[in-house]
Amino acid sequence: MTDAKEFLQRLDDAAQRTEAALDRLLASEPLRGEIARPARLLAAMRYASLGGGKRLRPFLAIESARLFGVEGEWPLRVGCALEMVHCYSLAHDDLPAMDDDDLRRGRPTTHKAFDEATAILAGDGLLTYAFDVLADEATHADAQARAKLVLALARAAGLGGMVGGQALDLEAESAARSLSQEEILTLQAMKTGALLRFAVDAGAILGHASAAETQALSRYGAALGAAFQVADDILDAAGDTAALGKRAGKDAERGKATLVSLLGLDGAIARRDRLVEEAIAALDATGFGPATQVLKDAAVFVAARKN
Amino acid sequence: MTDAKEFLQRLDDAAQRTEAALDRLLASEPLRGEIARPARLLAAMRYASLGGGKRLRPFLAIESARLFGVEGEWPLRVGCALEMVHCYSLAHDDLPAMDDDDLRRGRPTTHKAFDEATAILAGDGLLTYAFDVLADEATHADAQARAKLVLALARAAGLGGMVGGQALDLEAESAARSLSQEEILTLQAMKTGALLRFAVDAGAILGHASAAETQALSRYGAALGAAFQVADDILDAAGDTAALGKRAGKDAERGKATLVSLLGLDGAIARRDRLVEEAIAALDATGFGPATQVLKDAAVFVAARKN
């Protein structure tokens, strides 16, 4: 493992670059083909996406692309698209009709700071903008790569990925029975795993990776995503609201089956650590050697994080 | 003008092909890269997008592409993407936090037939799927064309287009003052015009149109979109709920400024007819000659429609 301080520095650098790039993309000036950018909607989109979060997904895209020597604006824009999708999903999930949360990253949720209609539209606007960003020539010189990014993000974020995972999650809460372990794993792979995996896959697409490289990175992304989610269950069971920036203990309160309720805290921790090992082994299979260290550190970080 | 019966036949053919293609796209089998398609979410996406509507946007894309000799699966898939975006916007706009409508195309709205959370997610899923469809190789052999379609749809549907228009519309309803004519025109160009215009532009993108052809078609699309919206205002003022399949007279009831309230019924009709003439003149400038007749008929149809 590299120096923990150095890893956190790189994570923070990526977060700051992402924040600045999102700020530029969410400027008041309309792009070519846009008619106008309504001020209140834009303000809500900025509120929902700026000023918060670890920006883990952009970091993964940036570091995955770096393995292929791709740096600069391209992976940064992919990172912005990822955050747009991630933040839209939070704004919609927080709505009264969904998880009904008032607090997110220690601030009022978007529908609390604005209103429900604006939060719905801000989410719609961010989701749409993510595909704009990926399809734009500024994201890659090769249109084939841009089309691949759009397709992969849509598959990860849509019906068969993130949106589907949220639908399953809501169904599980209202169902009379608890989910089986297999059902929880599917739900988590869809709701959280798919987008994290896309972040890593995006680096491979940007770098025109070989099939073997793509496959190894994708295995890393899948293991990392699964580790992230079991760590989330552990945090919800053991964490505190102040550190999380959102309410802790929600899962138990709602009688929701999680990996902690199914495997016990020790079992969940063992699973988490095994997934980190899998993620690291997958990186060793890429053939990139020491260059993968920062992504290995990311897997450890995701598992051990406090919020 | 061609035979009205023939025009309606072509419109209906396009609608039936679009319905069948949407039905295939919204099958229960996951696509490559999708994990699973949750049954209830899929049912809501199907409910929101199948079994209704004139499918005007797919028709425009199909007929615009035909000018360039592009027929078959490509424009049909663009039509499906258009309907996914159009239908997602209806599902979200009908929500209690937005327009709070119970009736759409003579049926309960999606959140009435399912629930609010599912209607929000079904909309999110349809919007995401639209970009999936456009980016897929099955929509065009040339990745550059696919990336252009994605970019143009995102600009038409997002912050600076449809979503922004809906935000302005909601603001106008809660504002103390009425909108000026210029503000109404901007709102309408964003909320409805941008997507109709994209439908026409998409044909030009699919057909690798020249700059002059693209420009002329885009002028047609803009005039048609504006004619559509003034016709909408006229219908809401003069139409009846049974023919519309949604509540008539909503605008006046809400004290909302429309082109009818600003220009009077006769003034609105005069504007509508002028826009149809503009649309037809733009088609004459494309150089495609008699092949543009069906699109001319479409402008007349849009202006004269009863729902």
Side-chain angles (χ1 to χ4, degrees), chain B residues 230-279:
Chain B
V230 64
D232 227 39
D233 285 357
I234 293 167
L235 274 170
D236 187 80
D240 67 285
T241 301
L244 279 176
K246 61 183 179 185
R247 274 193 307 128
K250 283 196 304 184
D251 295 339
E253 194 180 289
R254 295 177 185 186
K256 189 169 152 184
T258 70
L259 291 174
V260 174
S261 72
L262 278 169
L263 306 174
L265 191 56
D266 289 348
I269 290 171
R271 177 180 160 78
R272 180 193 68 184
D273 295 345
R274 199 166 58 243
L275 285 164
V276 171
E277 281 167 33
E278 266 180 49

Side-chain angles (χ1 to χ4, degrees), chain A residues 25-27 31-42 45 88 92-93 95 97-98 115-118 120-125 127-129 131-133 135-137 141-148 150-151 153-161 163-168 170-171 186 189-190 194, chain B residues 25-27 31-42 45 88 92-93 95 97-98 115-118 120-125 127-129 131-133 135-137 141-148 150-151 153-161 163-168 170-171 186 189-190 194:
Chain A
L25 287 166
L26 292 165
L31 300 176
R32 191 163 55 89
E34 291 182 336
I35 296 165
R37 294 188 155 190
R40 184 173 159 83
L41 176 64
L42 182 64
M45 288 170 66
Y88 117 74
H92 280 192
D93 288 1
L95 287 166
M98 301 248 240
D115 55 75
E116 270 185 64
T118 304
I120 295 169
L121 292 172
D124 295 344
L127 173 58
T128 309
Y129 206 167
F131 294 107
D132 182 320
V133 168
D136 194 291
E137 288 177 355
D142 174 16
Q144 185 79 46
R146 301 200 303 274
K148 271 190 189 178
V150 170
L151 190 67
L153 178 60
R155 299 260 158 109
L159 162 67
V163 170
Q166 173 68 1
L168 289 178
L170 291 172
E171 272 178 52
T186 299
M190 292 173 76
Chain B
L25 287 166
L26 292 164
L31 301 175
R32 192 164 54 90
E34 291 182 337
I35 296 166
R37 295 187 154 190
R40 185 174 160 83
L41 176 63
L42 181 64
M45 288 170 67
Y88 116 75
H92 280 191
D93 288 1
L95 286 166
M98 302 247 238
D115 55 75
E116 271 185 63
T118 305
I120 295 168
L121 291 173
D124 294 344
L127 172 58
T128 308
Y129 205 167
F131 294 107
D132 182 321
V133 168
D136 194 291
E137 287 176 355
D142 175 16
Q144 185 80 45
R146 301 200 303 274
K148 272 191 188 177
V150 170
L151 190 67
L153 178 60
R155 299 261 157 107
L159 162 66
V163 170
Q166 172 68 0
L168 289 178
L170 290 171
E171 273 178 51
T186 298
M190 292 173 75

Side-chain angles (χ1 to χ4, degrees), chain A residues 76-88:
Chain A
L76 184 60
R77 287 177 61 91
V78 171
C80 290
L82 273 158
E83 282 302 292
M84 287 176 182
V85 170
H86 177 53
C87 294
Y88 117 74

Side-chain angles (χ1 to χ4, degrees), chain A residues 176-264:
Chain A
R177 63 176 186 88
S178 282
L179 295 188
S180 69
Q181 186 175 338
E182 196 189 323
E183 287 171 322
I184 290 179
L185 292 180
T186 299
L187 188 163
Q188 295 185 344
M190 292 173 76
K191 184 171 173 172
T192 324
L195 200 60
L196 286 164
R197 191 170 179 168
F198 168 75
V200 176
D201 290 346
I205 296 172
L206 287 169
H208 290 308
S210 71
E213 288 163 345
T214 299
Q215 204 180 14
L217 271 175
S218 204
R219 277 202 297 131
Y220 163 77
L224 178 110
F228 181 95
Q229 193 60 54
V230 64
D232 228 38
D233 285 357
I234 293 168
L235 274 169
D236 187 80
D240 68 285
T241 300
L244 279 175
K246 61 183 179 186
R247 275 193 306 128
K250 284 196 304 184
D251 295 339
E253 196 180 290
R254 295 175 186 189
K256 190 169 154 183
T258 70
L259 292 174
V260 173
S261 72
L262 278 169
L263 306 175

Side-chain angles (χ1 to χ4, degrees), chain A residues 36-62:
Chain A
R37 294 188 155 190
R40 184 173 159 83
L41 176 64
L42 182 64
M45 288 170 66
R46 293 178 62 87
Y47 183 85
S49 63
L50 292 175
K54 291 175 290 295
R55 310 292 190 193
L56 177 64
R57 291 158 193 78
F59 175 76
L60 290 171
I62 287 168

